[in-house]
Amino acid sequence: MLAVKEEVDEVVAPGELGEFGVLPGHVPFITLLMPGELRYTKGGVERRYIISGGVAEVREDKVSILTDNLEDPASIHTEAARRELEAILEELKNFSGNKKEFEELNRRLKLAQVRAGVKE
Amino acid sequence: MPSLRQIRRKISSVKGTQRIMKAMKLISAVKLQRAQGLLQAFRPYSDSFDEIARNLATRCDPELHPLLRRPEERKKLNLVFMTSDRGLCGSFNSNLIRRIETYISVDAKAYEQVTFMFIGRRGRDYFLRRKAPSRKDYIGVNERNFGEVARKISALLTHEFINGECDEIILVYNYFKSALSQIITFEKLLPIEPIEKIGDSKPVDYIYEPGRSEVLKFVLPKFIEVRLERAILESITSEHAARMSAMENATRNAEDVMRRLTLLFNKTRQSIITKELMDIVNGTEALRKGGME
């Protein structure tokens, strides 16, 4: 879904290998995204979103962030997010699935952590 | 000439039908609005995926991922054919079916084998009656579950393509141009065609993070899924638009029929009155004549 389309000065996104920033004139670049915080500045004003992971492409001074889910941090109910995080931690304790399921759970855990405002 | 009572009954039945059509039109209008909103938000997202996938196909060796496979010989074609489940939407399905019939008898001759996958009951029923080879069909796809369906279908198609069960996959659906116009579209899903090179300059390769194969592994299957989701959503939106205008026309036609019937009703009533009057006049005339003698 299209959420935002804007002329921006800088974009900071959570890449698979850590957070990265993009300024004008960046080389063509494509990366997978982790669940985390997406920030961009425009005329000195910063905006933040929480994304659930996906892929980002940088080409010809254009950044495309493609993600399944995007949330405004202000709209997140902290209490509910914490409870969800706890539920996932509980699930992790009793985990007995295969590697793929573990990765999936890990992703959900990361997202829940970001949503609850807990740093790793 | 039908009796007054017959005409009256006919008028009220047309009126009832018209009421139903009007209601259907309103329902379609609401559904159209919702689907259109979804579609408009979805288009830029899926277009971006398109762009990225084609850019990757241009820059990466087909060896790197099975979905980048570009078979030299295109022998086996799979048509994914999207119609609606229900009728009463004008020529929405019939035009599509007619187009695909021509396509099969002309363009598809170049392939050795053509298989179908159906989304929507109408197309399936039509072709099954004609014993067309079908792999799979999906009925009951709507605005709420299309994402899930797209995921299932894309997994299946990806599997078939990678295993060489088909060399080319084409989506056939109604593209939603506006509420008044939907365009029948044939769109190649796989193989992913690279972008035609402009000039001699070799495209600059990306920097990949965490690595090229990880990126391809994520983006390509997702691209297929998003592309299918988009096509299904286009088809659903078009269906609502087509039904809305069909019902609009039907309501207007019912209006015409009612006007004609009302005219007939009045004429009949008039003629009955005239006849009765004549009887009375004749009767009194006869009495008066009788009295004078």
Side-chain angles (χ1 to χ4, degrees), chain A residues 1-2 28 30 57 59 68, chain B residues 41 51 55 206-207 209 222:
Chain A
M1 304 287 144
L2 176 75
I30 192 161
E57 185 209 27
R59 191 169 44 95
D68 287 342
Chain B
E51 225 178 281
N55 272 318
Y206 293 107
I207 296 172
E209 254 180 39
K222 188 85 186 166

Side-chain angles (χ1 to χ4, degrees), chain A residues 1-3 15-18 20 26-32 53-60 62 64-68 107, chain B residues 38 40-42 44-46 48-49 51-52 55-56 59 146 204-211 214-215 218-219 222 229 233:
Chain A
M1 304 287 144
L2 176 75
E16 193 100 318
L17 299 181
F20 67 94
H26 200 285
V27 290
F29 174 57
I30 192 161
T31 179
L32 301 183
V55 63
E57 185 209 27
V58 183
R59 191 169 44 95
E60 289 151 16
K62 196 178 108 189
S64 315
I65 307 276
L66 300 170
T67 174
D68 287 342
R107 265 197 119 67
Chain B
L38 265 175
Q40 260 151 14
F42 200 77
Y45 176 68
S46 85
S48 302
F49 250 111
E51 225 178 281
I52 292 180
N55 272 318
L56 285 173
R59 287 168 172 79
F146 73 95
V204 191
D205 206 355
Y206 293 107
I207 296 172
Y208 297 90
E209 254 180 39
E214 284 88 345
V215 170
F218 176 80
V219 172
K222 188 85 186 166
E229 261 180 279
L233 197 52

